[in-house]
Amino acid sequence: DLCFVMMTPSSQEMEPPTNPGWFTFAREVGAGPTKRVLVVLDGAGWHVAGALEIPDGLTLEFLPRYSPELQPAEHLWPLANEIIANTYFEDLDALNQALADRCCGLADDPDRIRAATWFHWWPQFA
């Protein structure tokens, strides 16, 4: 069984020696001997650690530096920004609510997300 995921670990989760965030994530997605999980990371500085311990079943794959076009998550920004472009918000709470509503709407529209993030060279699954 093979599962492809994308996540944004915090710098704290990348800290040695135990990396509790990675172990929690691996447990939650069921990574192990019978299920491999590929975690794709961009070249951000907080995705680096000196003595990183990787749980069984997880494989980290780093995208080339300075290649946001290869990071599917980067292609979500235009979808999120559509709702706030050229719009005045009374305060930060109003902006946060508009973005939250937009993200919830996008979460309910997987075809639109897939169209923006599913590249022909990514592995395809039935």
Side-chain angles (χ1 to χ4, degrees), residues 16-99:
T18 59
N19 319 102
W22 287 113
F23 285 90
T24 300
F25 173 75
R27 187 174 48 255
E28 288 177 2
V29 298
T34 60
K35 183 177 183 180
R36 304 286 307 159
V37 177
L38 175 65
V39 180
V40 178
L41 299 159
D42 60 23
W46 53 84
H47 293 162
V48 180
L52 187 60
E53 186 179 338
I54 307 298
D56 289 339
L58 283 189
T59 300
L60 302 186
E61 183 65 39
F62 289 86
L63 294 174
R65 291 177 180 258
Y66 309 110
S67 58
E69 69 280 2
L70 300 178
Q71 172 59 282
E74 294 292 335
H75 295 260
L76 295 174
W77 288 114
L79 298 178
N81 289 342
E82 285 175 357
I83 196 70
I84 62 171
N86 300 317
T87 304
Y88 172 79
F89 296 94
E90 281 295 323
D91 54 28
L92 192 54
D93 288 336
L95 172 62
N96 284 337
Q97 187 61 54
L99 286 171

